[in-house]
Amino acid sequence: MDTLDAQRDVDAARMRDRLKCYVDLETPSGHADALDALLDLIQDRYAGLGAAVERHARDTGAHLVARFPGSDGGHDREPVLCLGHHDTVWPTGTLTGAVPWVEQDGFIRGPGVYDMKGGLVVLETALELLAERGLPHRPITAIVVADEEVGSASARDLVAEHCAGAVAALGFEPPHPDGAVKTARWGSTRVRIDVTGREAHAALAPEDGTSAIEELVDQVLAVRRLAEQHPDVLCNVGTIGGGGRTNVVAGRAWCEIGLRFTDTGTERAVLAALDGLTAHRSGAAVTTEVLTSRPVWPEPGADRALTGVLAEAGEHAGQRATGRPASGAADTNLTGSLGVPSLDGLGPVGRGAHAPDERIVAASLPERAVLTAALLSRL
């Protein structure tokens, strides 16, 4: 197979135009109509590249499954699973406000260019390259989900279903800042703690009340002490609320906590302890609910065959392709936890995920497409 070259084999301007088209359609998580409008374009693109496509409707936006047949005698082989998402963290209006589309000094800036509409363009361009160059490849199943940024609650079963029989899973999230792909991910769990107390007049009869806020404060301190017992656990109380008036003992309070884990054993121990929280005060009740959970994707052991294939693909594309673990979570947490050999971070190089300086290196769009095509043709 001839060596692939980004400048020769890829129309970079076309990739840029496609990305701008996707970014112009703002797609906040949960905005089903906006998400489905972008999915229409992606579906048409995949169908035009020869895929059998199907939509899975959900209240918060549909998911897409596209099945590309294998080539050169590979039709009956196990498929490669490719994962992406089209929702972003940015509210409607960001494009005309805080984060406009800007092309300057070799960068493209805009809401979702890095996380991860650029990755979607990389994937579809790689699929186009496979067809144009007649490169042999296995069947490819691409799944584009609508709620990744809020935990993929409605897509989890769909992704898990397609892990069965997959020879590998590739994610098109952003890479590490130096372009290295991601070979493992920490587990990520969002937990909500709800406290019910008993309301009473804060001055006339405080003894008749039980403060849900004071109980919650003690529960948060207990969670912090629990996290400190496990140095590798990250714990962040992200939101908190409760009460109503300063002259009323608070009857309700709540908080949401983000937790990150490096290993499954610690994850299970911490979540079991949170599930067993009990009230310190008479008249108070505490409940714990897991809102979303992405399991630990552990580092590969002695068998690092997939990273070896990545290195070969990089050499064929004239690139140095390496990988290492990441602390962030994504849908590849699930594929990796289920034992499917996985890589993530095949999207364009850049910075600023979820931040106002979100941007990509424009030249990395065609480079990552060429790397992905080389990788798919070698799996």
Side-chain angles (χ1 to χ4, degrees):
M1 181 173 60
D2 294 338
T3 300
L4 289 168
D5 180 81
Q7 293 184 347
R8 181 194 66 210
D9 294 317
V10 179
D11 186 340
R14 186 180 179 188
M15 292 188 76
R16 173 264 180 211
D17 291 345
R18 193 71 180 181
L19 177 58
K20 188 173 190 307
C21 179
Y22 287 179
V23 172
D24 282 346
L25 292 173
E26 295 180 282
T27 50
S29 303
H31 290 226
D33 290 344
L35 287 157
D36 289 350
L38 176 52
L39 200 65
D40 288 342
L41 298 182
I42 298 170
Q43 179 174 332
D44 288 347
R45 177 72 165 144
Y46 286 169
L49 291 171
V53 295
E54 60 187 45
R55 290 170 81 115
H56 296 258
R58 300 290 189 272
D59 291 342
T60 53
H63 312 307
L64 183 69
V65 177
R67 294 182 174 85
F68 297 84
S71 67
D72 196 26
H75 294 76
D76 297 328
R77 302 176 72 189
E78 298 89 346
V80 178
L81 182 60
C82 293
L83 300 173
H85 66 87
H86 60 302
D87 63 322
T88 76
V89 300
W90 299 105
T92 301
T94 299
L95 188 61
T96 56
V99 190
W101 174 278
V102 176
E103 298 178 65
Q104 188 176 17
D105 299 329
F107 292 95
I108 298 175
R109 177 176 177 237
V113 293
Y114 186 52
D115 188 12
M116 62 157 285
K117 291 178 179 179
L120 293 175
V121 175
V122 165
L123 172 57
E124 66 182 44
T125 305
L127 294 167
E128 185 178 40
L129 265 176
L130 293 177
E132 289 180 348
R133 294 291 300 274
L135 302 178
H137 62 85
R138 293 172 177 269
I140 298 166
T141 300
I143 301 180
V144 180
V145 309
D147 60 352
E148 191 278 339
E149 293 292 3
V150 290
S152 299
S154 73
R156 183 186 179 102
D157 290 346
L158 185 66
V159 174
E161 173 189 341
H162 287 85
C163 285
V167 69
L170 306 178
F172 290 82
E173 295 278 358
H176 288 289
D178 62 355
V181 304
K182 299 173 179 180
T183 58
R185 286 186 179 277
W186 289 23
S188 176
T189 299
R190 291 170 52 237
V191 172
R192 180 181 171 105
I193 298 176
D194 277 286
V195 177
T196 302
R198 185 169 56 238
E199 293 185 345
H201 196 292
L204 300 181
E207 68 280 1
D208 292 342
T210 302
S211 174
I213 289 178
E214 293 183 5
E215 178 66 35
L216 179 62
V217 169
D218 287 343
Q219 294 295 334
V220 169
L221 291 173
V223 172
R224 295 300 309 174
R225 288 193 293 270
L226 173 63
E228 288 167 1
Q229 297 173 21
H230 304 276
D232 290 336
V233 172
L234 296 181
C235 176
N236 178 57
V237 181
T239 57
I240 194 165
R245 297 175 179 273
T246 56
N247 61 352
V248 178
V249 175
R252 296 191 63 83
W254 58 271
C255 70
E256 291 186 7
I257 301 174
L259 298 156
R260 305 278 176 153
F261 307 98
T262 59
D263 66 273
T264 301
T266 300
E267 179 182 39
R268 290 173 179 167
V270 171
L271 293 181
L274 291 177
D275 188 53
L277 292 176
T278 57
H280 298 281
R281 291 166 175 75
S282 175
V286 179
T287 60
T288 304
E289 176 188 6
V290 174
L291 300 176
T292 60
S293 181
R294 298 188 189 275
V296 174
W297 163 19
E299 292 189 54
D303 180 12
R304 296 178 178 267
L306 188 53
T307 53
V309 177
L310 172 71
E312 293 175 5
E315 182 177 352
H316 183 76
Q319 304 175 34
R320 182 173 180 269
T322 62
R324 61 180 184 272
S327 57
D331 287 327
T332 42
N333 280 70
L334 181 58
T335 64
S337 74
L338 293 175
V340 180
S342 301
L343 292 174
D344 206 343
L346 287 163
V349 177
R351 57 174 289 184
H354 302 185
D357 64 341
E358 180 173 5
R359 66 187 66 186
I360 62 169
V361 177
S364 70
L365 279 170
E367 291 170 354
R368 302 302 267 194
V370 163
L371 176 62
T372 298
L375 178 58
L376 288 169
S377 69
R378 277 167 167 71
L379 285 172

